[in-house]
């Protein structure tokens, strides 16, 4: 038996046996060089690319310049900026941007002077406007008014004007008695900020709100990105602050006016279909007539190129073609994840031909223009986040109106009311609904759009390449070994199949992630507000997930399902893992988290409605699990959303996590649990500290750690799973001196708590706190005899073996004790929740896991996280 530690020797053991995080050799003489590759293979086309790279501690000073080249040494222009710093001020993460047109199989990034672009991006003032140009496009942006994108020009020709956000609200849902009253709102610019000004990429951020009369609703942001080439990237988001009982979004989108100068038979409309296809027709159709105009005319109409002069047509056609219909309006609507339609009409006085086209999944690409040029446009995640639509009006006139609908007005109006007006009980439905808490206030909806200024109607092959870039954004990534060696994101392992037992664990991890990917499609977990989330628990009797049962429905990242997917990507480099993780992070960071209002900085526990549960928790909004996506993609919007998590500090003054469990107290400004609440705040502070270098946030971490170090019970302090006082002004924690060691710590580490502490302790030096953490980890699952020998009494912490297997093994690692490391593995392997699921079976056309009891996402997430951490912490003891 392992001899018990005494309190006196524990601190010394901690300091002597501490094992550093994996890292590249900081003393190496050669400058670090990282290899990059495309996540999905070399793309046929990009619209510019952005990505992030981690660097080992101490290797790059904050002023280091970075150069990009292809594998053969060809220099590639790149723009770089810091994303995060190590405590010593050296670069931890850097963000990068590259223009379209430099797609190679592999790249190298290393210290050096970056190659300048042939035509640098230029941003300049013109009165109150901003002019952004790249040598191909010139974009005029307003800084006030309601038209942020005034004009897009190419080679002296106006491609589009009047780029403005549109919002239509109505006062009741479509299925309620009476006729809804609809109102159009203007999106008024309140601020315009140049965030980057070249030389490779320019970024302009607009903020504002939708207004009608004196009413101001749904504050929004719009970022405009321009790199080299003919594409402009746009990212729009809005924050919900309206009344879900009387505000129903009828339509939400972005609208442009497109000059139409070619003859109507040389004007073309294109709508993309997943897989490289498209629906395409001219405004005036010359094919299929009673009289054939000629092969050259037919070929040009199909290809979208200029037709021969009318004098060269069949005279029977050239004499009467102007009598043919001119199709003025076109519309593609993605009605569900599995169905879209195309409709067209000649005018508002004529009926729609609703059978013009149909299919399963549209790519989101569209084009409106002619043989001399026009506007290409598209939305990402088009079919996944239905209802979407692409709308063209007036294509036969002098100016067409193009609308990219984030929420299509042809679908039922957006209804954000909670699914019921009464609660259904925690005991039976696992639902914690409280009066006034089932509100979407502060949640965010975003849409990424691309517009292209084309000088001709794009050919079929070009459209296929553009669609591929639109449906799966090309992403540069590092090799898993680089991420691992850089020492970021805590303790995790690379795949290990060196023994049959380890190969079984790795296969189980892969198979279960694949099972969830299949469930997303089979169960149709799609939609504007749903895409990215999964369900919490399965109902074997109904052969269906419990989509309608209180807290068993949408998962909302419970117990780290998002973290698992990101660790799976980091260690495998697989594109499908990245796409799953990215979608889930977007969803949780926007939909499951309240960014403003009463619950700012907190997220909502799992429920039938994403925002419906009364348990508003810092653990859902915590920065730790959002950092993966932010640092890997350099996503500016996600960076904004992560920063709002800092608002949780003050929100906890009025929304105390234990308000329903414990009576009021007066010893501290508010009350929280050490875990998961304080751990979540630590992750928020740590993220802001490393992003800015502002040591005030580090000091808050140190303050709390120092306070816990003085608590006799350490991390076993407090009733109800760790209740302590918290002062959001100072960061101090207060010991209420009651309920120590009484159990209920099952959630303490369940939301990446151990990873947060491992990473924090690698960045701050508080030996006394590390000793307390080690004491907790050493005894949280120790046998009674060991606890009695150490504490003088026995107690039951009430924890789950799989969740706490890795802190147990970590204690063994820190203490150099193989017995405790083996205990961590044994607790995991002998826990029924740690057993891999059997292979899925097909029931009623969809897959399910043939288990004796209902299976749950909690087990999937924690089992996978345990495998990944245990292989890193105690590899020698792995089976």
């Amino acid at each position: 038996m392992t001899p018990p530690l005494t309190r006196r020797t524990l601190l010394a053991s901690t300091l002597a046996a501490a094992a550093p995080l994996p890292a590249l050799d900081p003393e190496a003489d050669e400058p670090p060089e990282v290899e990059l590759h495309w996540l999905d293979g070399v793309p046929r086309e990009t619209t510019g690319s952005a990505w992030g790279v981690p660097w080992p501690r101490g290797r790059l000073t904050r002023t280091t310049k970075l150069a990009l080249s292809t594998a053969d040494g060809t220099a590639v222009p790149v723009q770089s900026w810091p994303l995060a710093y190590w405590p010593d001020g050296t670069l931890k993460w850097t963000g990068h941007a590259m223009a379209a047109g430099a797609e190679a199989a592999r790249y190298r990034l290393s210290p050096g002077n970056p190659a300048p672009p042939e035509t640098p991006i230029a941003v300049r003032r013109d009165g109150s406007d901003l002019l952004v140009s790249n040598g191909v496009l010139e974009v005029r942006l307003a800084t006030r008014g309601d038209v942020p994108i005034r004009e897009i020009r190419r080679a002296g020709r106006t491609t589009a004007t009047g780029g403005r956000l549109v919002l239509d609200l109505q006062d009741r849902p479509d299925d309620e008695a009476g006729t809804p009253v609809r109102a159009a709102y203007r999106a008024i610019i309140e601020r315009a900020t140049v965030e980057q000004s070249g030389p490779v990429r320019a970024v302009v951020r607009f903020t504002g709100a939708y207004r009608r009369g004196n009413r101001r609703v749904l504050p929004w942001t719009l970022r405009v990105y321009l790199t080299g080439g003919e594409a402009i990237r746009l990212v729009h988001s809005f924050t919900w602050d309206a009344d879900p009982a009387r505000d129903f979004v009828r339509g939400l989108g972005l609208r442009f006016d497109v000059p139409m100068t070619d003859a109507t038979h040389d004007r073309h409309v294109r709508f993309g279909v997943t897989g490289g296809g498209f629906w395409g027709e001219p405004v005036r159709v010359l094919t299929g007539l009673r009289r054939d105009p000629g092969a050259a005319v037919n070929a040009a109409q199909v290809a979208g190129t200029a037709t021969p002069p009318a004098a060269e047509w069949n005279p029977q056609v050239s004499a009467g073609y102007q009598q043919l219909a001119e199709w003025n309006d076109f519309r593609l609507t993605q009605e569900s994840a599995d169905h879209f339609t195309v409709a067209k009409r000649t005018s508002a006085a004529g009926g729609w031909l609703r059978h013009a086209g149909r299919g399963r999944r549209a790519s989101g690409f569209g084009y409106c223009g002619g043989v001399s040029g026009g506007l290409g446009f598209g939305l990402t995640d088009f079919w996944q986040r239905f209802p979407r639509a692409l709308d063209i009006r007036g294509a036969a006139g002098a100016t067409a109106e193009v609308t990219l609908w984030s929420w299509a007005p042809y679908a039922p109006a957006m209804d954000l009311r909670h699914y019921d007006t009464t609660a259904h009980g925690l005991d039976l439905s696992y639902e914690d609904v409280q009066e006034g808490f089932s509100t979407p206030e502060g949640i965010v909806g975003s849409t990424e759009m691309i517009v292209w200024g084309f000088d001709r109607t794009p050919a079929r092959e070009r459209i296929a390449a553009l669609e591929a870039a639109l449906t799966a954004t090309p992403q540069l990534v590092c090799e898993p070994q680089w991420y691992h060696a850089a020492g970021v994101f805590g303790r995790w392992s690379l795949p290990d199949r060196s023994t049959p037992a380890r190969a079984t664990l790795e296969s189980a991890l892969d198979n279960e992630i694949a099972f969830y990917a299949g469930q997303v499609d089979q169960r149709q977990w799609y939609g504007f507000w749903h895409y990215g989330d999964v369900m919490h628990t399965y109902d074997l009797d109904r052969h269906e997930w419990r989509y309608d049962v209180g807290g068993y429905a949408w998962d909302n990242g419970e117990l780290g399902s998002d973290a698992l997917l990101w660790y799976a990507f980091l260690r495998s480099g697989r594109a499908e893992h990245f796409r799953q993780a990215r979608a889930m992070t977007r969803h949780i960071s926007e939909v499951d988290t309240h960014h403003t209002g009463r619950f700012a900085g907190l997220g909502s526990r799992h429920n039938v409605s994403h925002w419906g549960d009364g348990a508003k928790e810092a653990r859902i909004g915590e920065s730790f699990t959002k950092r993966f996506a932010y640092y890997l993609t350099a996503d500016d919007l996600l960076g904004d959303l992560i920063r709002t998590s800092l608002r949780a500090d003050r929100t906890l003054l009025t929304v105390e996590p234990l308000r329903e469990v414990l009576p009021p107290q007066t010893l501290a400004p508010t009350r929280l649990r050490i875990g998961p609440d304080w751990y979540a705040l630590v992750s928020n502070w740590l993220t802001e500290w490393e992003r800015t270098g502002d040591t005030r946030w580090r000091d808050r971490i140190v303050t709390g750690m120092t306070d816990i170090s003085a608590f006799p019970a350490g991390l076993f302090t407090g009733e109800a799973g760790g209740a302590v006082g918290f002062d959001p002004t100072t960061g101090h924690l207060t010991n209420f001196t009651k309920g120590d060691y009484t159990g209920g710590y099952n959630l303490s580490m369940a939301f990446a708590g151990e990873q947060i502490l491992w990473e924090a302790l690698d960045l701050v030096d508080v030996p006394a706190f590390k000793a307390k953490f080690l004491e907790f980890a050493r005894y949280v699952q120790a046998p009674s005899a060991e606890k009695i020998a150490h504490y003088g009494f026995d107690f039951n912490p009430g924890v789950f073996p799989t969740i706490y297997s890795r802190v147990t093994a970590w204690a063994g690692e820190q203490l150099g004790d193989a017995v405790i490391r083996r205990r961590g593995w044994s607790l995991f392997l002998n826990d029924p929740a740690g057993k891999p699921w059997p292979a899925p079976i097909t029931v009623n056309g969809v897959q399910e896991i043939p288990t004796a009891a209902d299976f749950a996402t909690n087990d999937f997430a924690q089992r996978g996280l345990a495998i990944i951490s245990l292989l890193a912490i105690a590899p020698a003891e792995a089976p």
Side-chain angles (χ1 to χ4, degrees):
M1 176 181 291
T2 303
L5 286 174
T6 66
R7 293 179 185 274
R8 181 173 297 177
T9 62
L10 186 56
L11 176 59
S13 300
T14 301
L15 298 177
L21 289 173
L24 297 178
D25 180 7
E27 304 302 325
D29 293 330
E30 68 278 4
E33 179 181 81
V34 58
E35 288 196 0
L36 305 166
H37 65 277
W38 295 101
L39 179 66
D40 300 281
V42 181
R44 286 177 285 176
E45 186 152 350
T46 75
T47 57
S49 302
W51 71 97
V53 172
W55 302 95
R57 183 172 0 201
R59 296 296 300 277
L60 296 181
T61 66
R62 62 194 306 134
T63 59
T64 300
K65 294 181 179 180
L66 294 165
L68 184 69
S69 64
T70 61
D72 64 4
T74 302
V76 178
V78 67
Q79 185 168 311
S80 305
W81 61 94
L83 293 176
Y85 303 95
W86 290 102
D88 62 4
T90 58
L91 291 171
K92 184 176 185 180
W93 283 91
T94 50
H96 307 276
M98 181 178 71
E103 293 78 30
R106 287 190 170 266
Y107 301 87
R108 294 192 180 98
L109 185 70
S110 60
N113 291 318
E118 184 175 340
T119 304
I121 301 292
V123 181
R124 64 183 178 86
R125 288 273 182 179
D126 184 15
S128 63
D129 289 351
L130 295 169
L131 284 180
V132 186
S133 59
N134 64 2
V136 178
L137 298 181
E138 182 180 77
V139 185
R140 178 176 291 272
L141 303 174
T143 59
R144 57 185 180 224
D146 61 353
V147 183
I149 306 173
R150 289 195 188 278
E151 185 181 33
I152 301 170
R153 294 178 63 84
R154 177 170 183 168
R157 179 184 185 276
T158 297
T159 300
T161 61
R164 64 232 184 245
L165 299 170
V166 292
L167 170 69
D168 295 325
L169 292 180
Q170 64 185 50
D171 65 346
R172 67 193 68 191
D174 294 322
D175 55 2
E176 190 173 292
T179 302
V181 176
R182 298 177 181 175
Y185 284 70
R186 299 168 61 211
I188 304 300
I189 301 166
E190 296 175 347
R191 186 174 183 182
T193 305
V194 178
E195 294 186 324
Q196 293 186 358
S197 56
V200 173
R201 182 176 86 160
V203 184
V204 179
R205 180 178 187 258
F206 295 97
T207 57
Y210 296 95
R211 291 181 179 270
R212 181 179 175 84
N214 293 326
R215 192 179 187 212
R216 178 186 185 275
V217 296
L218 306 189
W220 53 264
T221 66
L222 177 68
R223 276 188 172 89
V224 179
Y225 295 82
L226 185 66
T227 60
E230 55 194 359
I232 306 166
R233 179 172 174 252
L234 307 165
V235 178
H236 169 259
S237 68
F238 69 92
T239 303
W240 184 268
D241 67 347
D243 182 351
R246 69 181 185 95
D247 290 310
F248 300 83
V249 173
R250 179 82 250 168
L252 178 75
L254 175 67
R255 180 169 291 154
F256 288 95
D257 298 322
V258 180
M260 304 293 281
T261 58
D262 295 300
T264 54
H265 55 267
D266 278 338
R267 300 180 188 181
H268 294 273
V269 169
R270 299 285 188 264
F271 292 132
V273 180
T274 56
F278 70 87
W279 182 97
E281 290 188 359
V283 170
R284 173 176 274 154
V285 180
L286 299 177
T287 63
L289 303 176
R290 187 177 184 189
R291 311 301 179 197
D292 189 343
V297 176
N298 293 336
Q301 280 236 303
V302 172
T305 56
T307 57
E312 299 178 14
W313 303 359
N314 179 338
Q316 293 176 297
V317 177
S318 61
Y321 78 94
Q322 293 184 348
Q323 301 175 33
L324 297 173
E326 292 180 315
W327 298 98
N328 198 51
D329 302 336
F330 299 80
R331 183 171 76 210
L332 181 146
T333 306
Q334 185 77 47
E335 300 157 346
S336 72
D338 280 334
H339 189 248
F340 73 84
T341 60
V342 178
K344 68 179 186 179
R345 69 182 182 182
T346 56
S347 70
W352 287 95
L353 301 188
R354 300 182 186 277
H355 53 282
R358 85 270 338 137
R360 187 179 181 217
R361 292 171 172 173
S363 67
F365 174 82
Y367 172 76
C368 177
V371 296
S372 60
L375 185 72
F377 46 90
L379 296 89
T380 64
D381 294 333
F382 189 78
W383 59 266
Q384 294 95 328
R385 299 189 63 204
F386 73 92
R388 305 276 215 197
L390 302 174
D391 206 327
I392 299 170
R393 304 294 175 99
T399 304
E401 184 181 82
V402 171
T403 307
L404 292 72
W405 290 111
S406 301
W407 184 280
Y410 317 114
M414 183 189 295
D415 189 346
L416 298 188
R417 294 173 298 174
H418 188 49
Y419 79 99
D420 205 346
T421 57
T422 62
H424 298 287
L426 185 62
D427 186 49
L428 292 181
S429 71
Y430 199 31
E431 181 174 67
D432 183 10
V433 170
Q434 300 165 40
E435 182 66 30
F437 278 54
S438 298
T439 172
E441 181 186 22
I443 69 169
V444 167
S446 74
T447 302
E448 181 178 342
M449 298 165 279
I450 310 291
V451 295
W452 292 266
F454 289 126
D455 62 357
R456 69 196 70 182
T457 300
R460 177 180 294 271
E461 296 75 15
R462 180 84 193 282
I463 291 175
L466 295 170
E467 288 178 333
L470 193 63
T471 55
T473 303
Q475 182 67 50
L476 282 171
V477 295
C478 308
E479 296 291 344
Q481 291 78 9
W482 179 272
Y483 293 129
H484 188 261
V488 293
F489 300 135
R491 305 295 303 275
W492 52 279
S493 60
L494 295 171
D496 183 353
R497 295 179 177 270
S498 59
T499 69
R502 297 180 194 186
T504 297
L505 292 174
E506 295 284 359
S507 294
L509 182 61
D510 290 344
N511 292 340
E512 290 173 14
I513 293 174
F515 170 74
Y516 273 85
Q519 291 293 286
V520 169
D521 203 52
Q522 293 171 25
R523 308 286 178 171
Q524 295 286 282
W525 293 338
Y526 297 117
F528 185 88
W529 293 111
H530 303 321
Y531 179 55
D533 208 350
V534 298
M535 288 283 169
H536 186 283
T537 302
Y538 198 75
D539 183 343
L540 284 168
D541 293 312
R542 286 194 288 175
H543 301 290
E544 179 60 83
W545 291 85
R546 301 185 196 177
Y547 69 94
D548 57 351
V549 183
Y552 290 116
W554 291 115
D555 188 62
N556 290 18
E558 184 75 357
L559 298 202
S561 48
D562 50 350
L564 168 62
L565 292 176
W566 280 119
Y567 282 122
F569 163 71
L570 288 171
R571 65 201 305 266
S572 71
R574 289 168 59 173
E576 62 269 31
H577 293 169
F578 180 96
R579 302 293 179 195
Q580 285 176 263
R582 185 69 185 91
M584 184 172 286
T585 296
R586 186 208 58 77
H587 171 84
I588 295 172
S589 64
E590 296 181 8
V591 184
D592 299 339
T593 303
H594 301 272
H595 298 278
T596 60
R598 180 183 179 187
F599 307 116
L602 307 181
S604 291
R605 173 183 174 270
H606 39 97
N607 193 261
V608 174
S609 301
H610 295 288
W611 49 84
D613 204 81
K616 304 301 184 184
E617 302 278 352
R619 73 198 197 203
I620 306 300
E622 71 180 22
S623 299
F624 183 85
T625 51
K626 319 303 183 294
R627 295 158 74 236
F628 298 98
Y630 174 63
Y631 289 141
L632 289 168
T633 67
D635 183 323
D636 294 308
L637 174 59
L638 184 53
D640 294 344
L641 300 180
I642 286 175
R643 186 153 281 142
T644 67
S645 67
L646 296 169
R647 298 172 181 172
D649 293 13
R650 303 210 66 82
T651 298
L652 291 174
L653 287 171
T654 54
V655 188
E656 182 194 302
L658 296 168
R659 64 192 177 278
E660 296 289 307
V661 179
L662 298 176
Q665 57 80 34
T666 58
L667 297 179
T670 190
R671 178 173 50 196
L672 49 65
R673 296 158 295 188
I674 295 176
D677 305 321
W678 182 73
Y679 299 156
L681 300 185
V682 167
S683 84
N684 300 341
W685 302 332
L686 185 153
T687 304
E688 187 66 8
W689 170 35
E690 67 182 3
R691 287 179 68 183
T692 65
D694 187 341
T695 55
R696 291 179 301 164
W697 303 104
R698 175 206 62 195
D699 294 346
R700 292 177 79 81
I701 299 172
V702 172
T703 294
M705 286 183 171
T706 303
D707 290 338
I708 293 172
S709 302
F711 297 168
L715 297 184
F716 288 118
T717 296
E719 59 185 332
V724 295
F726 173 62
D727 186 341
T729 301
T730 65
H732 275 294
L733 301 176
T734 301
N735 187 355
F736 294 138
T737 65
K738 62 189 324 184
D740 296 352
Y741 304 105
T742 54
Y745 304 101
N746 57 304
L747 289 181
S748 183
M749 295 292 170
F751 298 86
E754 77 285 351
Q755 292 284 11
I756 293 168
L757 293 184
W758 289 337
E759 190 163 1
L761 286 171
D762 187 53
L763 301 175
V764 300
D765 184 23
V766 187
F769 175 80
K770 187 171 186 178
K772 289 293 188 183
F773 181 26
L774 180 53
E775 182 182 43
F776 175 89
R778 166 67 177 82
Y779 290 102
V780 71
Q781 295 193 99
S784 294
E786 295 182 14
K787 284 184 285 188
I788 293 171
H790 181 71
Y791 293 101
F793 56 88
D794 193 15
F795 61 97
N796 179 13
V799 299
F800 298 130
T802 291
I803 295 176
Y804 283 81
S805 60
R806 49 259 204 194
V807 296
T808 297
W810 177 77
E813 178 203 48
Q814 299 295 296
L815 297 169
D817 193 324
V819 172
I820 301 177
R821 294 197 299 272
R822 283 193 295 271
R823 180 182 295 164
W825 271 107
S826 178
L827 288 163
F828 167 65
L829 295 171
N830 293 323
D831 182 6
K835 302 295 184 185
W837 285 337
I841 61 173
T842 300
V843 179
N844 299 330
V846 293
Q847 288 189 322
E848 67 177 36
I849 303 297
T851 53
D854 293 343
F855 53 90
T857 301
N858 282 357
D859 294 337
F860 154 73
Q862 286 298 314
R863 181 166 54 247
L865 289 168
I867 292 169
I868 292 169
S869 290
L870 286 170
L871 285 171
I873 295 164
E877 288 70 33

